């Protein structure tokens, strides 16, 4: 060989080998046919050996041409892979990851994940917005965020369960227990290590969230034969705990809310079989900044003592 092999010319040779003709290769590459012929002639000159031979009205590859074409596919694949890796690295150095998350996740999982992310990729910026799952999904669909951190109660289904999420890429961050929460000095307070009996609280007054947020509580109570009497309605888990501690009622709260804030006047115990799954959603495979954020969310989830 008398010269270095040009990548464009290798791409042309690979296209001729793949499509079977100069005309088809020109169409695939969106080149003029004379341009393809010119690149092939220059490649032969660079290689110093015939790569093509006339065959009827067309051409076919010589043994050397077939060898070089097969190597060209490998070379081009490696170059493209390197380009993708460089693009990903550039995205992590100067990119942006935008996250929508619900309050208890923002108070627990997200700070740890974001801290690790910016330490690992100092040039990466992170945008955070607080949204309950339905609004987080809407923000994801509209392109306002790159990742939606949502939850779904996986032990119960009801009319207000989230819509089918199969249209999104989903990564499980953690499964957290749902806990019965009572006043610490209440007779119904579970003893440490005991298993709470939801049915035994059929006469209790309950503190619960909005109609959508308490749908899982209603479904669980219905499964054991009663409808809970909602005495107070609030989506603020700090207020829920304060009301419970004051003896205003009992409640159910998932583990992250108790990790974010725990009132000293409450007693808690995991409800058997009750789990809330926290998931990170993206539209299609995540871009490198979003993928890096999700990896850190998974790591943060693994360290959560719930």
């Amino acid at each position: 060989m008398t010269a270095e092999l040009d990548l464009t010319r290798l791409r042309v040779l690979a296209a001729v080998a793949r499509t079977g003709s100069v005309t088809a290769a020109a169409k695939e590459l969106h080149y003029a046919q004379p341009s393809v012929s010119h690149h092939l002639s220059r490649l032969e000159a660079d290689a110093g050996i015939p790569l093509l031979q006339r065959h009827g009205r067309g051409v076919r590859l010589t043994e050397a041409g077939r060898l070089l074409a097969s190597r060209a596919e490998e070379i081009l694949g490696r170059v493209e892979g390197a380009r993708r890796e460089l693009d990903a690295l550039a995205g992590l150095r100067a990119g942006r990851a935008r996250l929508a998350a619900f309050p208890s996740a923002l108070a627990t999982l997200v700070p740890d994940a974001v801290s690790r992310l910016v330490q690992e990729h100092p040039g990466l910026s992170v945008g955070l917005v607080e949204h309950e799952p339905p609004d987080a999904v809407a923000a994801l669909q509209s392109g306002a965020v790159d990742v939606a951190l949502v939850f779904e109660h996986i032990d119960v289904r009801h009319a207000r369960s989230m819509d089918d999420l199969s249209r999104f890429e989903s990564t499980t961050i953690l499964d957290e227990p749902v806990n019965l929460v009572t006043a610490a000095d209440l007779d119904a307070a579970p003893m440490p290590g005991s298993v709470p009996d939801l049915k035994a609280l059929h006469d209790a007054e309950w503190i619960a969230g909005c109609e959508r947020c308490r749908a899982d509580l209603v479904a669980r109570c219905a499964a054991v034969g009663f409808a809970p009497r909602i005495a107070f309605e609030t989506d603020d888990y700090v207020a829920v705990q304060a009301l419970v501690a004051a003896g205003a009622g009992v409640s159910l709260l998932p583990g992250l809310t108790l990790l974010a804030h725990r009132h000293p006047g409450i007693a808690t115990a995991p409800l058997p079989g009750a789990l809330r799954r926290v998931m990170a959603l993206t539209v299609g495979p995540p871009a490198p900044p979003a993928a890096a954020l999700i990896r850190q969310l998974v790591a943060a989830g693994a360290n959560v003592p719930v």
Side-chain angles (χ1 to χ4, degrees):
M1 295 185 183
T2 59
E4 293 184 1
L5 297 179
D6 181 90
L7 288 177
T8 299
R9 294 166 192 166
L10 288 176
R11 188 171 288 108
V12 169
L13 179 65
V16 171
R18 188 167 53 250
T19 63
S21 74
V22 171
T23 301
K27 183 176 181 180
E28 178 183 285
L29 296 171
H30 304 288
Y31 288 177
Q33 187 169 329
S35 178
V36 170
S37 299
H38 172 73
H39 281 303
L40 291 172
S41 297
R42 292 295 301 273
L43 183 60
E44 280 193 323
D46 292 344
I49 187 172
L51 303 175
L52 300 162
Q53 62 185 23
R54 292 287 179 185
H55 182 69
R57 293 185 176 181
V59 296
R60 66 182 178 187
L61 273 63
T62 64
E63 182 179 355
R66 291 192 297 273
L67 173 63
L68 186 56
S70 67
R71 293 292 183 267
E73 292 281 11
E74 179 181 341
I75 292 167
L76 293 168
R78 288 181 178 273
V79 170
E80 181 59 30
R83 182 176 289 112
R84 286 195 298 269
E85 290 174 1
L86 288 172
D87 287 344
L89 184 59
L92 289 172
R93 285 180 174 172
R96 181 172 173 79
R98 301 166 300 167
L99 173 70
F102 53 95
S104 60
L106 280 172
T108 54
L109 294 170
V110 174
D112 182 34
V114 170
S115 175
R116 291 171 181 269
L117 183 65
V118 296
Q119 287 180 24
E120 184 176 347
H121 306 289
L124 186 66
S125 65
V126 181
L128 302 175
V129 62
E130 180 182 311
H131 278 320
E132 292 294 344
D135 292 331
V137 169
L140 181 63
Q141 288 179 306
S142 71
V145 299
D146 307 301
V147 182
L149 198 60
V150 303
F151 60 78
E152 182 78 303
H153 292 270
I154 59 177
D155 60 303
V156 290
R157 295 293 298 175
H158 45 73
R160 294 187 175 272
S161 293
M162 288 189 64
D163 295 334
D164 180 24
L165 300 179
S166 62
R167 63 188 185 279
F168 301 109
E169 295 277 337
S170 177
T171 302
T172 297
I173 305 302
L174 81 160
D175 289 341
E176 54 176 329
V178 176
N179 298 271
L180 174 66
V181 184
T182 64
D185 57 357
L186 191 70
D187 290 341
M191 296 294 293
S194 66
V195 177
D197 181 7
L198 192 60
K199 190 173 183 179
L201 296 170
H202 64 281
D203 287 332
E205 292 190 324
W206 289 83
I207 302 160
C210 67
E211 188 175 355
R212 182 182 186 98
C213 295
R214 66 173 178 257
D216 61 288
L217 165 66
V218 174
R220 289 190 178 101
C221 292
V224 295
F226 74 97
R229 291 186 307 174
I230 309 300
F232 295 92
E233 180 180 307
T234 176
D235 292 326
D236 184 335
Y237 55 82
V238 176
V240 169
Q241 293 182 45
L243 288 166
V244 169
V250 299
S251 190
L252 294 182
L253 286 176
L256 288 182
T257 63
L258 297 169
L259 180 63
H261 170 80
R262 188 180 183 95
H263 194 290
I266 64 171
T268 64
L271 196 65
L275 290 174
R276 188 173 81 162
R277 175 161 294 167
V278 179
M279 302 164 286
L281 306 180
T282 60
V283 177
L293 174 58
I294 291 171
R295 285 195 297 272
Q296 294 300 344
L297 287 169
V298 170
N303 292 328
V304 168
V306 295

